[in-house]
Short mmCIF file of all heavy atoms in Angstrom, two decimals:
data_model
loop_
_atom_site.label_atom_id
_atom_site.label_comp_id
_atom_site.label_asym_id
_atom_site.label_seq_id
_atom_site.Cartn_x
_atom_site.Cartn_y
_atom_site.Cartn_z
N LEU O 8 -3.55 6.87 -11.54
CA LEU O 8 -2.16 7.37 -11.16
C LEU O 8 -2.25 8.27 -9.96
O LEU O 8 -2.58 9.44 -10.06
CB LEU O 8 -1.63 8.18 -12.38
CG LEU O 8 -1.55 7.42 -13.67
CD1 LEU O 8 -2.35 8.16 -14.75
CD2 LEU O 8 -0.20 7.17 -14.09
N PRO O 9 -1.94 7.66 -8.76
CA PRO O 9 -1.90 8.51 -7.56
C PRO O 9 -0.69 9.39 -7.63
O PRO O 9 0.44 8.98 -8.07
CB PRO O 9 -1.70 7.48 -6.48
CG PRO O 9 -1.10 6.29 -7.08
CD PRO O 9 -1.57 6.33 -8.48
N ALA O 10 -0.88 10.69 -7.24
CA ALA O 10 0.32 11.70 -7.40
C ALA O 10 0.31 12.52 -6.17
O ALA O 10 -0.60 13.09 -5.75
CB ALA O 10 0.07 12.45 -8.58
N TYR O 11 1.48 12.57 -5.58
CA TYR O 11 1.70 13.46 -4.37
C TYR O 11 2.96 14.37 -4.70
O TYR O 11 4.07 13.87 -4.82
CB TYR O 11 1.93 12.67 -3.18
CG TYR O 11 2.21 13.41 -1.92
CD1 TYR O 11 1.49 14.43 -1.56
CD2 TYR O 11 3.25 12.99 -1.02
CE1 TYR O 11 1.66 15.23 -0.38
CE2 TYR O 11 3.61 13.76 0.04
CZ TYR O 11 2.76 14.78 0.48
OH TYR O 11 3.02 15.54 1.56
N ASN O 12 2.72 15.66 -4.85
CA ASN O 12 3.67 16.60 -5.18
C ASN O 12 4.47 16.17 -6.42
O ASN O 12 5.70 16.00 -6.40
CB ASN O 12 4.80 16.78 -4.00
CG ASN O 12 4.06 17.44 -2.78
OD1 ASN O 12 2.97 17.92 -2.86
ND2 ASN O 12 4.78 17.34 -1.65
N GLU O 13 3.77 15.95 -7.52
CA GLU O 13 4.40 15.47 -8.74
C GLU O 13 4.13 16.44 -9.82
O GLU O 13 3.97 16.05 -11.00
CB GLU O 13 3.76 14.08 -9.10
CG GLU O 13 3.89 12.98 -8.11
CD GLU O 13 5.15 12.29 -8.08
OE1 GLU O 13 6.11 12.61 -8.84
OE2 GLU O 13 5.20 11.19 -7.46
N ILE O 40 -5.05 11.16 -9.26
CA ILE O 40 -5.44 11.70 -8.01
C ILE O 40 -4.45 12.31 -7.30
O ILE O 40 -3.39 11.82 -7.00
CB ILE O 40 -5.89 10.45 -7.19
CG1 ILE O 40 -6.94 9.55 -7.82
CG2 ILE O 40 -6.42 10.97 -5.77
CD1 ILE O 40 -8.38 10.14 -7.98
N ASP O 42 -2.93 13.61 -4.12
CA ASP O 42 -3.02 13.22 -2.78
C ASP O 42 -2.79 14.29 -1.77
O ASP O 42 -1.85 14.22 -1.02
CB ASP O 42 -2.14 11.94 -2.52
CG ASP O 42 -2.25 11.35 -1.18
OD1 ASP O 42 -3.17 11.76 -0.38
OD2 ASP O 42 -1.48 10.46 -0.82
N ASN O 70 -3.23 15.15 2.53
CA ASN O 70 -2.49 13.92 2.35
C ASN O 70 -3.16 12.65 2.96
O ASN O 70 -3.04 12.57 4.14
CB ASN O 70 -1.07 14.06 2.59
CG ASN O 70 -0.19 12.84 2.09
OD1 ASN O 70 0.29 12.14 2.91
ND2 ASN O 70 -0.22 12.65 0.85
N PHE O 71 -3.67 11.79 2.16
CA PHE O 71 -4.33 10.66 2.80
C PHE O 71 -3.49 9.33 2.59
O PHE O 71 -3.80 8.21 2.99
CB PHE O 71 -5.75 10.37 2.21
CG PHE O 71 -6.80 11.18 2.85
CD1 PHE O 71 -7.14 12.44 2.41
CD2 PHE O 71 -7.44 10.74 4.02
CE1 PHE O 71 -8.03 13.16 3.05
CE2 PHE O 71 -8.45 11.46 4.66
CZ PHE O 71 -8.76 12.75 4.19
N GLY O 72 -2.51 9.50 1.75
CA GLY O 72 -1.59 8.29 1.54
C GLY O 72 -1.92 7.63 0.14
O GLY O 72 -3.09 7.79 -0.36
N LYS O 73 -0.96 6.87 -0.36
CA LYS O 73 -1.07 6.41 -1.70
C LYS O 73 -2.19 5.37 -1.84
O LYS O 73 -2.92 5.30 -2.78
CB LYS O 73 0.24 5.61 -2.01
CG LYS O 73 0.28 5.18 -3.46
CD LYS O 73 1.51 4.37 -3.81
CE LYS O 73 1.58 3.79 -5.17
NZ LYS O 73 2.55 2.96 -5.46
N GLY O 76 -5.25 7.18 -2.38
CA GLY O 76 -5.22 7.67 -3.79
C GLY O 76 -5.65 6.55 -4.77
O GLY O 76 -6.39 6.78 -5.65
N MET O 92 -0.78 2.42 -11.70
CA MET O 92 0.67 2.63 -11.73
C MET O 92 1.08 3.96 -11.10
O MET O 92 0.28 4.91 -10.98
CB MET O 92 1.09 2.62 -13.20
CG MET O 92 0.61 3.61 -14.13
SD MET O 92 0.98 3.38 -15.93
CE MET O 92 2.66 3.62 -15.91
N ASP O 93 2.34 4.11 -10.82
CA ASP O 93 2.93 5.35 -10.22
C ASP O 93 2.99 6.31 -11.34
O ASP O 93 3.21 6.02 -12.49
CB ASP O 93 4.33 5.09 -9.71
CG ASP O 93 4.36 4.27 -8.49
OD1 ASP O 93 3.25 3.83 -7.95
OD2 ASP O 93 5.39 3.99 -7.89
N CYS O 94 2.90 7.61 -10.90
CA CYS O 94 2.87 8.62 -12.03
C CYS O 94 4.25 9.21 -12.21
O CYS O 94 4.42 10.16 -12.92
CB CYS O 94 1.82 9.65 -11.71
SG CYS O 94 2.31 10.80 -10.50
N ASP O 95 5.17 8.59 -11.61
CA ASP O 95 6.73 9.02 -11.89
C ASP O 95 7.26 8.21 -12.99
O ASP O 95 8.47 8.26 -13.17
CB ASP O 95 7.42 9.02 -10.62
CG ASP O 95 7.45 7.62 -9.89
OD1 ASP O 95 6.90 6.74 -10.55
OD2 ASP O 95 7.93 7.51 -8.86
N GLN O 97 8.14 5.20 -13.01
CA GLN O 97 8.97 4.16 -12.64
C GLN O 97 8.41 2.80 -12.98
O GLN O 97 9.14 1.78 -13.01
CB GLN O 97 9.25 4.25 -11.05
CG GLN O 97 10.22 5.30 -10.72
CD GLN O 97 10.69 5.22 -9.29
OE1 GLN O 97 9.86 5.61 -8.39
NE2 GLN O 97 11.88 4.76 -9.13
N ARG O 124 14.96 -3.51 -8.57
CA ARG O 124 14.50 -2.32 -7.91
C ARG O 124 15.19 -1.06 -8.38
O ARG O 124 15.63 -0.36 -7.47
CB ARG O 124 14.64 -2.44 -6.35
CG ARG O 124 13.62 -3.28 -5.70
CD ARG O 124 13.70 -3.15 -4.15
NE ARG O 124 13.32 -1.76 -3.78
CZ ARG O 124 12.06 -1.43 -3.50
NH1 ARG O 124 11.14 -2.32 -3.79
NH2 ARG O 124 11.78 -0.25 -3.25
N GLU O 127 18.40 3.24 -5.96
CA GLU O 127 17.87 4.01 -4.84
C GLU O 127 19.01 4.20 -3.80
O GLU O 127 20.07 3.46 -3.87
CB GLU O 127 16.81 3.09 -4.13
CG GLU O 127 15.47 2.85 -5.02
CD GLU O 127 14.65 1.81 -4.49
OE1 GLU O 127 15.12 0.86 -3.98
OE2 GLU O 127 13.43 1.96 -4.55
N HIS O 131 17.25 3.91 1.77
CA HIS O 131 15.94 3.54 1.19
C HIS O 131 15.88 2.01 0.88
O HIS O 131 14.88 1.42 1.07
CB HIS O 131 15.71 4.48 0.01
CG HIS O 131 14.24 4.36 -0.45
ND1 HIS O 131 13.95 3.36 -1.48
CD2 HIS O 131 13.13 4.90 -0.15
CE1 HIS O 131 12.53 3.52 -1.64
NE2 HIS O 131 12.06 4.42 -0.79
N TYR O 139 9.85 -5.18 3.29
CA TYR O 139 9.29 -6.32 2.46
C TYR O 139 9.56 -7.62 3.15
O TYR O 139 8.70 -8.52 3.04
CB TYR O 139 9.90 -6.30 1.10
CG TYR O 139 9.48 -5.21 0.23
CD1 TYR O 139 10.30 -4.16 -0.25
CD2 TYR O 139 8.06 -5.06 0.01
CE1 TYR O 139 9.77 -3.18 -1.02
CE2 TYR O 139 7.53 -4.04 -0.72
CZ TYR O 139 8.37 -3.10 -1.19
OH TYR O 139 7.81 -2.11 -1.99
N ARG O 198 13.39 7.31 -11.44
CA ARG O 198 12.49 8.40 -11.35
C ARG O 198 13.05 9.58 -12.17
O ARG O 198 14.16 9.86 -12.15
CB ARG O 198 12.44 8.84 -9.92
CG ARG O 198 11.27 9.58 -9.53
CD ARG O 198 11.34 9.84 -7.99
NE ARG O 198 10.01 9.56 -7.28
CZ ARG O 198 8.99 10.27 -7.47
NH1 ARG O 198 9.04 11.46 -8.08
NH2 ARG O 198 7.83 9.92 -6.90
N GLU O 202 11.70 13.46 -6.11
CA GLU O 202 12.28 12.40 -5.36
C GLU O 202 11.25 11.46 -4.75
O GLU O 202 10.11 11.83 -4.68
CB GLU O 202 13.23 12.82 -4.26
CG GLU O 202 12.67 13.95 -3.45
CD GLU O 202 13.67 14.61 -2.53
OE1 GLU O 202 14.87 14.68 -2.97
OE2 GLU O 202 13.34 15.10 -1.45
N SER O 203 11.72 10.36 -4.24
CA SER O 203 10.76 9.38 -3.61
C SER O 203 9.97 10.01 -2.44
O SER O 203 10.68 10.80 -1.71
CB SER O 203 11.56 8.13 -3.16
OG SER O 203 10.71 7.31 -2.45
N LYS O 204 8.78 9.72 -2.34
CA LYS O 204 7.98 10.36 -1.27
C LYS O 204 8.00 9.54 -0.08
O LYS O 204 7.23 9.80 0.85
CB LYS O 204 6.50 10.49 -1.84
CG LYS O 204 6.35 11.21 -3.05
CD LYS O 204 6.82 12.69 -3.00
CE LYS O 204 6.65 13.48 -4.23
NZ LYS O 204 7.69 13.15 -5.22
N TRP O 205 8.67 8.45 0.04
CA TRP O 205 8.71 7.57 1.20
C TRP O 205 10.00 7.85 2.06
O TRP O 205 11.04 7.70 1.61
CB TRP O 205 8.69 6.15 0.81
CG TRP O 205 7.46 5.71 0.17
CD1 TRP O 205 7.30 5.65 -1.18
CD2 TRP O 205 6.22 5.42 0.73
NE1 TRP O 205 6.05 5.18 -1.50
CE2 TRP O 205 5.31 5.15 -0.27
CE3 TRP O 205 5.74 5.41 2.03
CZ2 TRP O 205 4.01 4.79 0.01
CZ3 TRP O 205 4.39 5.04 2.20
CH2 TRP O 205 3.60 4.76 1.10
N1 UDP U 1 2.23 8.80 -3.60
C1 UDP U 1 0.99 9.29 -3.15
N2 UDP U 1 0.75 9.66 -1.80
C2 UDP U 1 1.79 9.65 -0.94
C3 UDP U 1 3.05 9.11 -1.28
C4 UDP U 1 3.24 8.79 -2.68
O1 UDP U 1 0.01 9.28 -3.94
O2 UDP U 1 1.69 9.98 0.22
C5 UDP U 1 2.42 8.44 -4.96
C6 UDP U 1 3.51 9.19 -5.68
O3 UDP U 1 3.17 10.37 -6.18
C7 UDP U 1 3.93 8.13 -6.72
C8 UDP U 1 3.67 6.87 -6.04
O4 UDP U 1 2.70 7.11 -5.00
O5 UDP U 1 3.10 8.25 -7.90
C9 UDP U 1 4.90 6.20 -5.66
O6 UDP U 1 5.64 7.09 -4.83
P1 UDP U 1 7.20 7.17 -4.86
O7 UDP U 1 7.61 7.33 -6.24
O8 UDP U 1 7.51 8.30 -3.92
O9 UDP U 1 7.69 5.83 -4.21
P2 UDP U 1 8.82 4.88 -4.66
O10 UDP U 1 8.66 4.77 -6.08
O11 UDP U 1 10.06 5.50 -4.19
O12 UDP U 1 8.55 3.61 -3.92
#
Side-chain angles (χ1 to χ4, degrees):
L8 303 123
Y11 177 49
N12 296 345
E13 305 272 13
I40 304 292
D42 184 9
N70 182 246
F71 277 91
K73 186 182 175 188
M92 66 189 287
D93 288 359
C94 75
D95 53 9
Q97 281 191 288
R124 284 193 64 86
E127 291 166 327
H131 189 266
Y139 288 121
R198 203 175 226 287
E202 49 189 30
S203 175
K204 306 291 181 285
W205 296 98

